[in-house]
């Protein structure tokens, strides 16, 4: 009984930490990019990827959280690098969108990930789902259309960036299953992050230097004026890694289905907290649209489960 109770306590604590890190990094990104005036989303993503590179190595090589998996060939490295590029594009797009969109609308668009996953799964693998499964995606898309029409803070460029980030995230998921499908090439998510993060850094460093002029100098100057920005960046970057770590651990200690259900609830919690913190205006139409999207995601998940 003690083991059972302690196991439940551990799982609840793990899920709580997963929620905290996910919602925390989202809100802190929004605060830094919009409210704090740190308008450098590419550099912010670079900080995230650097933290993921360092902390992944510490967790795997030193702390032995999971066994180290090695890259076996040049072809496998190219596949991982391709995934790393798509991964960093999705994170950059998401961070850019937070400069222009409230967290509530950002989460509504992000909830359409299953829609893009279904599209890319068909385009890349020609795998078809049942017509009921595809039908369940209609409220997912309809909800975002309704939310867009009722969003007081709608911004076209931010909307495009958020949709692009969501699509890139779905594409990475599909390609990961295709490119690393053989038993010899399969990597768990923590080892994949270990190799993807440095690749992302290699892409993001020159991009940040060229597109966000003198960003390093400006960041150093800001840190000299007020060291708070430095601590916020460090804490935010560490949280970005713990999002991936806790995501892996929650999946390992529960199930992918439980993770999906908790993820849907997490989006709703993030929306409520962001509205309370940032006081962004919301409309009844917008909230109805977001609710319809979440319902659509739940129905889609159920339809997909039954079709198997």
């Amino acid at each position: 009984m003690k083991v059972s109770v302690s196991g439940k306590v551990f799982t609840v604590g793990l899920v709580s930490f997963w929620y905290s890190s996910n919602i925390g990094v989202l809100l802190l990104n929004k605060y830094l990019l919009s409210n704090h005036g740190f308008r450098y989303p590419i550099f912010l993503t670079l900080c995230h990827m650097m933290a993921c590179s360092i902390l992944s190595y510490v967790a795997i090589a030193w702390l032995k959280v999971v066994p180290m998996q090695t890259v076996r060939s040049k072809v496998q490295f190219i596949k991982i690098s391709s995934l790393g590029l798509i991964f960093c594009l999705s994170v950059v797009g998401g961070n850019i969108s937070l400069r222009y969109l409230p967290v509530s609308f950002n989460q509504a668009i992000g909830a359409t990930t299953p829609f893009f996953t279904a599209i890319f799964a068909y385009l890349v693998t020609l795998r078809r789902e049942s017509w009921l499964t595809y039908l369940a995606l209609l409220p997912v898309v309809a909800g975002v259309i309704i939310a867009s029409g009722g969003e007081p803070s709608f911004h076209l460029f931010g909307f495009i960036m958020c949709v692009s980030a969501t699509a890139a995230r779905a594409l990475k998921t599909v390609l990961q299953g295709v490119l690393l499908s053989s038993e010899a090439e399969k990597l768990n998510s923590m080892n994949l992050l270990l190799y993807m993060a440095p690749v992302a850094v290699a892409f993001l460093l020159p991009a940040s230097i060229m597109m966000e002029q003198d960003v390093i100098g400006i960041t150093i100057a800001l840190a000299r004026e007020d060291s708070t920005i430095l601590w916020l960046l460090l804490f935010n970057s560490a949280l970005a890694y713990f999002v991936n770590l806790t995501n892996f651990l929650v999946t390992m200690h529960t199930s992918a289905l439980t993770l999906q259900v908790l993820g849907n609830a997490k989006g709703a919690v993030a929306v409520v907290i962001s509205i309370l913190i940032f006081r962004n205006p919301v409309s009844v139409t917008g909230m109805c649209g977001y609710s319809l999207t979440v319902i659509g995601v739940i129905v889609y998940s159920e339809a997909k489960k039954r079709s198997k």
Side-chain angles (χ1 to χ4, degrees):
M1 180 64 70
K2 288 183 179 180
V3 175
S4 177
V5 171
S6 63
K8 287 180 180 178
V9 170
F10 175 78
T11 302
V12 169
L14 189 59
V15 170
S16 300
F17 191 33
W18 179 58
Y19 263 53
S20 301
S21 57
N22 269 271
I23 297 173
V25 77
L26 182 66
L27 298 180
L28 198 47
N29 283 349
K30 177 62 179 177
Y31 174 73
L32 283 167
L33 294 168
S34 296
N35 297 64
H36 196 77
F38 187 80
R39 305 187 186 283
Y40 306 104
I42 300 176
F43 182 73
L44 181 61
T45 309
L46 173 62
C47 293
H48 289 178
M49 293 301 104
M50 288 175 68
C52 286
S53 299
I54 296 167
L55 295 176
S56 289
Y57 184 79
V58 171
I60 296 173
W62 292 359
L63 301 179
K64 310 293 183 184
V65 174
V66 292
M68 173 78 79
Q69 294 174 293
T70 57
V71 176
R72 297 174 181 271
S73 65
K74 183 179 178 180
V75 173
Q76 187 184 14
F77 176 74
I78 292 172
K79 291 177 179 179
I80 292 170
S81 298
S82 301
L83 292 172
L85 176 59
I86 298 170
F87 176 58
C88 78
L89 288 175
S90 70
V91 179
V92 168
N95 285 340
I96 290 174
S97 74
L98 284 172
R99 275 193 60 187
Y100 303 98
L101 301 177
V103 173
S104 53
F105 190 42
N106 176 280
Q107 288 294 286
I109 299 169
T112 62
T113 301
F115 170 74
F116 290 103
T117 304
I119 290 176
F120 287 126
Y122 177 72
L123 292 175
V124 175
T125 67
L126 298 179
R127 188 185 72 209
R128 293 185 179 183
E129 303 287 352
S130 67
W131 67 271
L132 276 174
T133 304
Y134 287 122
L135 193 63
L137 286 171
L138 292 179
V140 174
V141 180
V144 169
I145 293 172
I146 293 169
S148 301
E151 176 53 53
S153 306
F154 182 84
H155 190 284
L156 182 59
F157 179 68
F159 175 77
I160 292 171
M161 284 294 99
C162 196
V163 170
S164 300
T166 305
R169 191 161 55 243
L171 179 60
K172 175 195 162 287
T173 301
V174 173
L175 288 181
Q176 183 177 327
V178 174
L179 296 179
L180 304 177
S181 57
S182 69
E183 287 300 322
E185 291 184 330
K186 275 185 180 177
L187 297 173
N188 63 51
S189 61
M190 296 314 299
N191 273 275
L192 184 59
L193 182 65
L194 172 67
Y195 295 116
M196 282 197 311
V199 171
V201 169
F203 286 121
L204 290 167
L205 183 58
S208 180
I209 292 171
M210 288 187 291
M211 298 174 70
E212 299 174 330
Q213 294 182 0
D214 198 28
V215 61
I216 297 174
I218 292 170
T219 304
I220 293 171
L222 288 172
R224 284 175 179 168
E225 290 177 15
D226 184 3
S227 61
T228 304
I229 184 67
L230 187 61
W231 292 111
L232 284 174
L233 284 172
L234 287 172
F235 180 62
N236 182 246
S237 300
L239 269 185
Y241 169 72
F242 284 113
V243 166
N244 291 281
L245 176 63
T246 53
N247 189 81
F248 172 77
L249 292 175
V250 169
T251 305
M252 188 170 69
H253 285 88
T254 56
S255 66
L257 180 61
T258 302
L259 188 76
Q260 196 170 36
V261 173
L262 291 171
N264 293 333
K266 174 181 63 64
V269 173
V271 167
V272 173
I273 294 176
S274 70
I275 292 171
L276 292 174
I277 293 176
F278 297 112
R279 305 286 181 181
N280 58 282
V282 291
S283 65
V284 175
T285 304
M287 291 309 294
C288 287
Y290 176 67
S291 300
L292 181 60
T293 295
V294 172
I295 292 169
V297 171
I298 295 170
V299 172
Y300 168 77
S301 302
E302 186 64 27
K304 192 172 181 180
K305 185 174 68 175
R306 290 189 177 185
S307 67
K308 289 181 179 179

